[in-house]
Each structure stands twice: as C-alpha cells, then as structure tokens.
Amino acid sequence: MREYRIAAIPGDGIGTEVIGAGLEVLRALEKRDGGFRLAVEHLPWGSDYYRRNGRMMPENGLELLKGVDAIYFGAVGDPGLPDHVTLWGLRLAICQGFDQYANVRPARLLPGIPGPLRAVKPAEFDWIIVRENTEGEYSGAGGRVHRGLPEEVGLDVAVFTRTGVERIMRFAFALAGARPRKRLTVVTKSNAQRHGMVLWDDVLAELRGDYPDIAMDKMLVDAMTTRMVLKPETLDVVVATNLHADVLSDLAAALSGSLGIAPTANLNPERKFPSMFEPIHGSAFDIAGRGIANPLGSFWTAAMMLEHLGEKAAAGRLMGAIERTTGEGKFLTPDLGGRATTREVTDAVCRAIAGDNS
Ligand code: IPM
Ligand code: MG
C-alpha cells in the first residue's frame, strides 16, 4: 500500500467547506483505487487561530509541515483582520519558506460549463498559467517611512533575481514541451519596467536556444488581456511574474466559467520541501457557511495533488468524475448559474468515482 502524509489546512471562510468536500472525494478515490492511502493531519490554522494565539500558525509551523508529502490548503482572509497580516502569516509564509516557486494554474472549459467566450470550443481553450511564486512584486521588500505625515512614503520593491527568473522560465519551457501543442507565451512589461522586466527578456534570450522544439512568443501584460479574450485558441502555456500572473489567472478563471473551479499547485519542483495545493477562489466570506460554495476548484486541486504524488490513475479518474458531473448540467452551484449545493456536487462526484469501472 502506497501511503502519503497530507497536511490539510482549511483556513478561513469557505476554505473549511471545500477542503472538507475535497477530503471526502479523496476518500472515495482511495476506496475505488485500493492501492494508496492518505494519512491526513488536520491543522486548524488561520484567522480564528490568530484570534486565539496572536499568530496564523504555530511558531514552528513550517517545521511541523516539513515532513509531509503535500499540503492541501483552503483559503485565508477574514473580514475582521488585515489581509496582509493573514496572508503573510500563513499562505505566503509557506510559499516562500518552502521555496514553492512554481505556481501552476490550469484553466479550461469543462463540459456543461460554457464560460463567457461564445466563439471558443473546449478543445481550443486549454491553458496553463505558470506564475513565479516567490519573488517579483510579492517579494515583501519595501517599507513605510514618515508614518502619518504628509511626506509619508510606502514602497513595495519588485525583486527579480537571475536564479528566480531562469528557474521559472525553464520550468515553463519544460511544461510546454510536455504538452501536445508545445507553445509558450512569455509575459512581461519590459516597455515600462526597465530593470527587472528587461532582466526577464535577457534571461529568455539566453536560454531560448535550449528549447528549439517550443514555439515561443512574447507579450506585454496589457496586450495579453485582450489576447486571452479575443484569441484564446492561440495560447497554451503562459509564464509571467507573480503579480501579472495573479491578475491573468483570475481573468483565465472567469473566462473558463467561474473562479469557483480554478485550481492551483504551489510547487517546489526539486521536492526539497512539500508542495501546496489550493483552489484559487479565496475565503469568500459572503457565502461562507451557506453550503453553496463550489467545491470543484478544490476537487481539481486534489487531482493536481494526486498527480504530484505520482497517483496519475487516481488523478485522471477524479478529473473524469468532475467532467461527467459537470456534463450532466444539474450539479452546478450558484456561481455557475445553477442551484446545487456543495453537498450535492460532492455526492455526485463521489458517485461518479464509485461508478467508474475503467
Ligand atoms: C491568489 C490570491 C492571493 C495572491 C491573495 C489571496 C494574496 O489572489 O492566490 O491568486 O494574490 O497570491
Ligand atoms: Mg489571485
């Protein structure tokens, strides 16, 4: 029996609901497969933990997580606490502490979920956005001086390192090479940002020759938004900075039908540290506790986690079950224009897994 240690951190808001649903689906897969077992540790970290303990996770949180095979994460963000405190205290602390530099965000059309782009066929909209995940605009470098005075200054310094840029580009080229269309679009803003973004261009020029079989093109981030809407079929793998890809991936999720279905992997590709898997939708306090959160983002995320663990058959089975369920048309939550509850979608996906005789 193959056994994996999983740390489940549901976090805030709908995080609890969708991670709970995801763990049920994972149990159904375990049962169906029979070859692997997930030993799940439940970690109640997040904003409530902060209210009790003055921090988002224990001081030795990273130490506690170090030995697990993967982290299954819900969301952070609480209306009663400053977002930058909750985020830097947990999610970003894990991404940076575990050098999870490759943030992988697939977006595509699932059966039964049309999305707002009328002209595009499902086979033409199949993207993976690779987001640099440890530096750039999210480096955390900067400061505030002269607080409260008219001369007050706030600085957020975007930090780009040759190592950081090169490794994310090589990751994206390799990912593009493993896909049928072998296309990579490199996004920057090097017309306006003349230092770090030009470093991206320089590094790209240097390593481009190592990937002769990849069709590569470059886009400025503003033009990229129009291309995503008007020519979605021309895109395959996209690589961009931390902030640019943050914005583009929300657009990608909306174009694929809803933020509620979009998954993420925060990878440490060298596997020196555990990687972390999370739906991208966030804590969504407006619908928390109502039982209507879309669990599909968390299911798709679970499929990415299984893939990372090497359980490819189970990952494929889960994606198949998701697609059969959305294809039926009646198990769509309100964000997708339906009326199904988290419970109903979860049960439907579990049934699809149990009934999968492949
Ligand atoms: C995301 C989110 C986060 C980010 C927020 C919650 C800090 O928007 O995962 O895309 O910007 O990284
Ligand atoms: Mg985002």
Side-chain angles (χ1 to χ4, degrees):
M1 181 75 84
R2 303 178 297 280
E3 183 159 318
Y4 307 100
R5 277 182 68 198
I6 306 296
I9 310 178
D12 302 339
I14 62 168
T16 328
E17 297 163 53
V18 299
I19 292 301
L23 291 172
E24 283 185 44
V25 160
L26 284 165
R27 290 287 174 232
L29 285 161
E30 245 177 20
K31 217 163 134 194
R32 172 64 189 75
D33 187 280
F36 70 93
R37 210 184 87 74
L38 304 175
V40 180
E41 284 163 55
H42 299 264
L43 302 170
W45 302 347
S47 296
D48 285 337
Y49 186 94
Y50 182 93
R51 276 186 271 266
R52 288 193 305 272
N53 302 290
R55 31 187 323 130
M56 294 292 287
M57 63 173 166
E59 206 167 343
N60 64 342
L62 292 187
E63 209 46 53
L64 296 173
L65 290 174
K66 222 172 187 160
V68 304
D69 294 301
I71 303 164
Y72 191 35
F73 190 91
V76 271
D78 181 293
L81 296 170
D83 283 338
H84 64 276
V85 171
T86 56
L87 280 157
W88 279 97
L90 189 56
R91 181 179 173 275
L92 295 177
I94 296 172
C95 290
Q96 293 204 345
F98 285 161
D99 206 17
Q100 294 166 346
Y101 64 84
N103 181 289
V104 178
R105 302 190 153 186
R108 61 186 170 84
L109 290 176
L110 299 178
I113 302 178
L117 295 178
R118 274 175 237 293
V120 68
K121 299 184 195 68
E124 295 174 339
F125 181 170
D126 183 0
W127 305 339
I128 297 188
I129 296 181
V130 175
R131 169 179 179 184
E132 198 297 313
N133 210 34
T134 50
E135 54 176 42
E137 309 85 347
Y138 283 57
S139 69
R144 296 264 296 268
V145 289
H146 311 309
R147 279 197 184 242
L149 298 176
E151 331 23 61
E152 182 164 2
V153 179
L155 288 174
D156 274 292
V157 182
V159 175
F160 297 100
T161 65
R162 177 174 285 279
T163 304
V165 177
E166 177 166 348
R167 67 186 184 175
I168 198 64
M169 276 191 196
R170 288 199 184 278
F171 180 89
F173 269 108
L175 183 62
R179 287 170 51 93
R181 290 196 291 157
K182 300 196 190 315
R183 296 189 67 103
L184 176 66
T185 302
V186 180
V187 176
T188 65
K189 186 67 189 172
S190 52
N191 54 349
Q193 297 178 288
R194 57 188 178 160
H195 308 295
M197 293 283 71
V198 178
L199 175 63
W200 273 60
D201 286 344
D202 291 348
V203 170
L204 177 62
E206 287 167 25
L207 55 78
R208 170 76 185 102
D210 295 349
Y211 304 93
D213 57 331
I214 308 293
M216 188 278 291
D217 60 73
K218 291 164 62 173
M219 290 297 288
L220 297 173
V221 66
D222 47 349
M224 183 64 178
T225 60
T226 55
R227 179 162 163 199
M228 287 168 72
V229 174
L230 300 176
K231 294 199 168 97
E233 71 286 354
T234 65
L235 296 168
D236 178 14
V237 177
V238 174
V239 62
T241 72
N242 213 329
L243 181 62
H244 291 166
D246 175 43
V247 176
L248 296 179
S249 59
D250 265 28
L251 175 58
L255 294 177
S256 74
S258 167
L259 201 55
I261 62 177
T264 303
N266 297 283
L267 299 179
N268 173 249
E270 289 74 28
R271 294 176 187 252
K272 219 172 115 195
F273 300 101
S275 294
M276 177 162 70
F277 300 82
E278 54 169 346
I280 83 171
H281 50 59
S283 53
F285 264 82
D286 51 331
I287 57 161
R290 292 173 49 198
I292 54 164
N294 190 341
L296 294 179
S298 136
F299 297 166
W300 192 343
T301 293
M304 294 183 83
M305 180 166 80
L306 288 167
E307 181 105 9
H308 179 78
L309 293 172
E311 295 296 335
K312 295 208 169 19
R317 184 167 285 131
L318 175 49
M319 283 318 292
I322 292 171
E323 296 189 32
R324 281 200 303 287
T325 304
T326 57
E328 282 190 51
K330 57 182 182 204
F331 297 110
L332 302 180
T333 43
D335 57 303
L336 293 170
R339 302 172 62 158
T341 61
T342 312
R343 174 83 271 144
E344 286 163 348
V345 180
T346 307
D347 289 345
V349 172
C350 287
R351 278 197 302 275
I353 292 166
D356 173 357
N357 296 318
S358 61

